[in-house]
Amino acid sequence: MARFADLTAANTLQLLVPLLILLIAFQSFTGERERGTLRQLLSLGIDPAKLAIGKVVGVLAALSLLLIPAGILGALALLGAGPGGGGVRDEFIRFGLLAGVYLIYFAAFALLAVAVSAFSRSSRAALGVLLAFWILNGLVAPRVASDVARERVVLPTNLEFRSAIQADVADGFGPHPSRAERQALLSDSILSAHGVQSLEELPINFAGISLQAGEEFANLVYDRRFGELYDRIRQQLEVHQRLAFLAPHLAVRSLSMALTGTDPEHHERYATAAEEHRRHIQRILNGDIALNGQYGQTYIADASLWSEVPEFSYEPPGIGWALAGQRTAGAALLIWVLLSGIIALVGAATLPRRV
Amino acid sequence: MKGPSHRLPPQDPTRPYVAGRTRGQRYALLTPFPFQASAVGQSDLIPPAVPVTLDGADPRGGREEIENPVHLLSGPLDLAFFVTFLLPLLALAISFDLLSREREGGTLALLLSQPVTLKRIVLVKVLTRWAVLFSLTAGAVAVAFLLLGAGFQLDRFVLWSGVVGLYLAFWTGLGGLVNATGGDSSRNAVALTFLWLFFAILLPAGVQITAGLLHPIPSRAEMVAIERGEIQEVQGEAEAVLTRFYDDHAEIMVDGSMNEADAQTRAFAVDQEVARRLAPLRARYREQLSAQQDLIRSMRWLSPSILAHEALLEVAGTGDARRDRFEDQVEAFHAEWLTFFTPRIVGEVRLTPDDLDLVPSWEFENERTLELAGGLLPNLLGLLLFLGLVTVVALRLLGRGEGRAVA
């Protein structure tokens, strides 16, 4: 229940506002026809195309009564929440772009509704067609897209994934040898570099060196495997964007997540930065063990070591980066609004013949 | 005198500590069954396999399956989604003009000239629409399950049909009610769309938001921080903890072993003390989690969609009741696990192949059909109440509108 009925700002804008548009606009032409006023309008010599545009503007004007206050509230809330990591300017550009995306989406819906109204024989038929579209586009498409993406791009199971990592670490991969060999190579090279015969004779603590070497190899493995995984997730999301040519809701969802920084891409960037920080801490700690510890003995450092560790700081990405992967979604949205416009104009043009 | 396991290498699996903690761990499985396919519920978020070890049996500790977060965001296209949200729309689509079409087409006057009341006409129309949709839906599902070949569970199918039948009746009845108000087709369509929006989306969302505000989910990060604090404290007093532990288990202790206690036995003693201290904290955390759940459950009476959705999940075995049942059984199994291993660890007994037969084995006790039906009773009654309300109001409106029907 929660996942569907979650009334977030995004859901409201992506699902409920289009529904509202439909309910306002489905009778644009069929209502006129049923009331008998369509004939009068057309007899005045008004260009049907202008009539259609007028209807759309009317719908959007009615909508703006709701959306403009909402937009202002949203902007105020944004100001009140304080600047995010990227600064106030970045936030407002993202807000502006997001508003633009939604406006295009709503315009497309309004055009579509007016178009269907122009082509339909009755208000009832128009409403039926538009509701069906709303259901398929908003409720069914996201779920079907998930299924299609899953079929097309397969993610490994948890077991497969973890087993692969374990195997890579234990047995090596590509040019890298197995763990046993790596350890042997490491101790040999360190011993010969310092010209001694045993690990106890080293001027540094071999434990620190060995730990760090293990860390670095594991990092290689994780980067490889997680990189693959994230690439696949990215490919799945590209499938969603391509399907947006059939269901514009997918385009809006993708764009809104990218602009607000809540898509998997932003998360991966943050997670990677956190991981980098962790690795930095490991280097400091292991380095300290190598320098100050005694091989084979427990080593406890004092508080001054921790003061060497820097604070974690994260610089959120800019809009260019955020939108880089959204080209398909953007194109789909633009094509939808263009197509809707064309259909609306064509529909209006057929009106005189079907008064 | 040290026990036999004392001299074994640390990771030897015949050491009871190793067997109970890592090498011999068991998984508590929430066994699936065919009818589960009808509703995914939370099963794609919460793993059905929980590892049970000496350290604990955290129901959320099972390995989650790898999934694209955007897929989890939209949820699955399962039967429960279809029945809860789309089937009503279908019902409304075929019922919104059941009377208004006759009126607008001029045929209503003709109908009423027959010896039949308006009430009868609407009743028959609503019933036929209900019958068509219900038989198509139930029939399609029955055929699907039979074709699946995984096993047709008649008992669950019957209960499922009951829920769907009542839910569908509410919506077709609602169509009749709106028609009884005497409006035109378009007005009816808009009104019914709003009613669908209200019952199926807005009310459930409102309930969810209210429950989230009144009982926010406690911070897991905070919980982890508190646990770490406790663990450190206990490790600081390790000697005292060990003494207390051996006092508690004096009767199974190997003579004179406390001072030379195995590292693993010491670790076990510390683990148990930590678990003992964390138990009340964890219980409170679980209570806070379920408080939200409970509040939503108590508010389900507000919308037939919530009642139906919950019932559908229960029948599919992916609802909260079965999950709670599972977690209770996991806790009991964990207690059994500790009871088996504790004396063997303290007594430093080496495990033998015969012990394998004695190690507790997991068996999930599914609810029986009668229990399931009993659990569904409130939901079914709730749906019946909504249906009754709609029927009463509709009949009232029709009775009054008798004279105006033709106008």
Side-chain angles (χ1 to χ4, degrees):
Chain A
M1 204 82 205
R3 277 178 282 179
F4 176 77
D6 208 1
L7 214 59
T8 58
N11 273 351
T12 310
L13 286 170
Q14 291 171 14
L15 282 178
L16 298 187
V17 172
L19 186 62
L20 201 62
I21 295 177
L22 292 186
L23 291 172
I24 298 175
F26 81 99
Q27 286 179 306
S28 316
F29 285 119
T30 52
E32 301 261 13
R33 186 184 296 121
E34 283 157 9
R35 281 191 296 270
T37 50
L38 185 61
R39 185 167 296 168
Q40 284 179 313
L41 267 176
L42 292 173
S43 70
L44 289 172
I46 299 178
D47 177 8
K50 293 220 177 85
L51 203 54
I53 307 256
K55 292 285 183 188
V56 172
V57 171
V59 169
L60 291 176
L63 207 64
S64 65
L65 281 175
L66 192 68
L67 292 180
I68 290 183
I72 295 178
L73 267 172
L76 286 173
L78 207 61
L79 271 171
V88 181
R89 187 174 149 270
D90 182 80
E91 293 245 305
F92 273 94
I93 296 181
R94 281 176 182 254
F95 182 76
L97 284 172
L98 188 62
V101 165
Y102 277 119
L103 266 164
I104 298 177
Y105 187 54
F106 296 154
F109 247 94
L111 284 165
L112 204 63
V114 169
V116 170
S117 192
F119 277 113
S120 298
R121 269 174 290 146
S122 67
S123 292
R124 182 193 318 154
L127 184 61
V129 169
L130 288 168
L131 272 179
F133 177 74
W134 180 79
I135 294 166
L136 288 171
N137 177 48
L139 302 183
V140 176
R143 292 157 192 253
V144 169
S146 302
D147 287 340
V148 172
R150 263 194 219 111
E151 290 280 311
R152 282 262 180 100
V153 183
V154 178
L155 296 180
T157 63
N158 203 312
L159 187 63
E160 283 169 2
F161 190 64
R162 288 183 193 271
S163 307
I165 290 180
Q166 270 183 334
D168 282 355
V169 170
D171 310 325
F173 65 95
H176 305 282
S178 69
R179 184 197 284 128
E181 275 185 63
R182 295 193 307 267
Q183 282 175 338
L185 281 167
L186 181 68
S187 53
D188 286 346
S189 70
I190 294 285
L191 286 173
S192 61
H194 288 266
V196 294
Q197 303 292 76
S198 76
L199 296 173
E200 286 80 0
E201 295 170 40
L202 286 169
I204 47 166
N205 185 351
F206 182 67
I209 309 241
S210 157
L211 280 171
Q212 186 57 26
E215 270 290 315
E216 287 182 9
F217 190 72
N219 293 346
L220 264 180
V221 172
Y222 289 144
D223 285 345
R224 174 184 185 223
R225 291 294 176 182
F226 274 97
E228 250 171 45
L229 183 63
Y230 278 120
D231 273 341
R232 292 211 189 172
I233 291 183
R234 207 167 286 125
Q235 284 165 31
Q236 282 188 337
L237 295 178
E238 181 63 33
V239 171
H240 283 234
Q241 288 193 44
R242 298 227 185 104
L243 287 171
F245 284 101
L246 291 174
H249 177 253
L250 294 172
V252 175
R253 190 177 68 161
S254 182
L255 285 163
S256 94
M257 281 199 288
L259 283 169
T260 52
T262 52
D263 64 351
E265 207 66 55
H266 280 80
H267 173 79
E268 190 211 332
R269 190 173 182 279
Y270 179 76
T272 308
E275 172 65 13
E276 266 314 309
H277 187 74
R278 184 197 73 88
R279 292 178 186 183
H280 188 48
I281 297 178
Q282 291 299 104
R283 276 191 290 271
I284 294 176
L285 295 180
N286 287 335
D288 191 66
I289 294 177
L291 277 176
N292 300 323
Q294 282 291 91
Y295 186 65
Q297 294 174 18
T298 314
Y299 165 61
I300 297 182
D302 58 28
S304 65
L305 176 62
W306 196 244
S307 63
E308 281 181 48
V309 175
E311 285 277 317
F312 175 64
S313 72
Y314 177 66
E315 177 99 24
I319 305 142
W321 182 91
L323 290 177
Q326 298 297 316
R327 280 186 219 125
T328 315
L333 193 61
L334 286 173
I335 296 208
W336 264 97
V337 75
L338 278 168
L339 259 170
S340 310
I342 295 174
I343 302 177
L345 292 174
V346 170
T350 66
L351 279 174
R353 280 182 273 125
R354 289 163 42 237
V355 168
Chain B
M1 268 314 284
K2 302 250 209 228
S5 74
H6 195 88
R7 260 175 267 113
L8 294 168
Q11 288 305 311
D12 190 306
T14 56
R15 277 173 167 268
Y17 183 71
V18 174
R21 200 159 158 268
T22 49
R23 296 299 175 87
Q25 72 177 29
R26 292 286 191 268
Y27 278 88
L29 288 169
L30 184 58
T31 36
F33 48 81
F35 210 76
Q36 220 165 295
S38 68
V40 172
Q42 302 274 67
S43 65
D44 57 345
L45 290 173
I46 306 174
V50 177
V52 177
T53 70
L54 291 174
D55 290 339
D58 180 4
R60 313 279 147 141
R63 285 278 163 71
E64 284 169 15
E65 199 41 84
I66 293 180
E67 181 55 284
N68 187 330
V70 177
H71 293 174
L72 293 177
L73 178 70
S74 56
L77 187 61
D78 59 2
L79 193 58
F81 170 77
F82 173 75
V83 168
T84 312
F85 298 103
L86 303 185
L87 200 57
L89 282 173
L90 234 68
L92 297 180
I94 61 174
S95 339
F96 79 99
D97 61 353
L98 56 82
L99 203 59
S100 49
R101 173 193 278 187
E102 305 271 8
R103 188 182 298 118
E104 286 154 16
T107 51
L108 188 58
L110 211 60
L111 268 176
L112 287 171
S113 67
Q114 317 255 335
V116 57
T117 63
L118 191 61
K119 280 187 198 171
R120 197 109 196 279
I121 295 174
V122 174
L123 195 65
V124 168
K125 280 176 179 284
V126 168
L127 277 173
T128 41
R129 281 156 173 77
W130 174 85
V132 165
L133 267 182
F134 178 65
S135 50
L136 278 174
T137 310
V141 171
V143 167
F145 272 105
L146 286 167
L147 284 177
L148 263 176
F152 185 72
Q153 295 169 277
L154 187 66
D155 53 349
R156 289 194 182 248
F157 179 72
V158 166
L159 287 168
W160 180 90
S161 303
V163 174
V164 175
L166 280 173
Y167 188 56
L168 206 50
F170 167 77
W171 289 102
T172 44
L174 200 65
L177 189 159
V178 170
N179 270 274
T181 60
D184 67 75
S185 296
S186 297
R187 208 211 68 177
N188 289 350
V190 175
L192 283 168
T193 307
F194 270 118
L195 281 168
W196 174 84
L197 200 63
F198 179 70
F199 281 119
I201 299 183
L202 295 178
L203 264 182
V207 164
Q208 193 79 34
I209 292 175
T210 311
L213 284 172
L214 290 176
H215 291 283
I217 292 184
S219 158
R220 197 170 170 85
E222 214 180 280
M223 182 67 189
V224 169
I226 295 175
E227 288 194 14
R228 277 209 196 125
E230 286 292 328
I231 291 172
Q232 277 186 322
E233 215 181 285
V234 170
Q235 282 174 341
E237 359 170 319
E239 285 309 317
V241 167
L242 197 62
T243 312
R244 208 165 31 236
F245 182 77
Y246 272 101
D247 284 342
D248 289 340
H249 296 94
E251 62 293 356
I252 35 179
M253 203 167 109
V254 173
D255 296 332
S257 60
M258 199 198 95
N259 291 329
E260 303 155 336
D262 199 39
Q264 292 184 350
T265 315
R266 291 172 160 268
F268 182 64
V270 167
D271 289 343
Q272 292 310 299
E273 175 65 16
V274 168
R276 197 186 62 84
R277 291 198 192 190
L278 291 179
L281 288 169
R282 287 190 176 150
R284 211 185 42 210
Y285 182 80
R286 267 197 310 268
E287 258 167 46
Q288 284 178 287
L289 275 178
S290 60
Q292 196 190 95
Q293 205 174 302
D294 292 338
L295 185 58
I296 294 177
R297 190 170 289 165
S298 62
M299 289 204 275
R300 64 193 161 153
W301 304 98
L302 293 172
S303 164
S305 297
I306 305 179
L307 288 166
H309 188 85
E310 189 189 69
L312 289 171
L313 288 184
E314 289 307 331
V315 174
T318 50
D320 290 332
R322 188 161 178 259
R323 186 79 214 175
D324 288 340
R325 193 193 175 85
F326 173 63
E327 292 185 4
D328 288 339
Q329 288 186 28
V330 168
E331 212 177 305
F333 182 66
H334 181 240
E336 255 184 78
W337 193 254
L338 282 173
T339 311
F340 177 82
F341 281 101
T342 305
R344 286 168 172 81
I345 294 173
V346 177
E348 298 187 7
V349 172
R350 186 177 184 182
L351 294 178
T352 64
D354 293 329
D355 286 319
L356 279 178
D357 297 328
L358 299 170
V359 172
S361 63
W362 167 260
E363 185 84 52
F364 179 59
E365 210 189 289
N366 243 326
E367 78 247 290
R368 277 155 309 192
T369 312
L370 236 69
E371 258 180 280
L372 177 65
L376 289 177
L377 217 54
N379 299 63
L380 293 170
L381 282 172
L383 287 171
L384 206 59
L385 259 159
F386 270 104
L387 176 61
L389 204 67
V390 165
T391 313
V392 163
V393 175
L395 289 175
R396 269 264 179 98
L397 284 168
L398 288 169
R400 268 191 281 150
E402 198 74 54
R404 294 185 287 126
V406 187

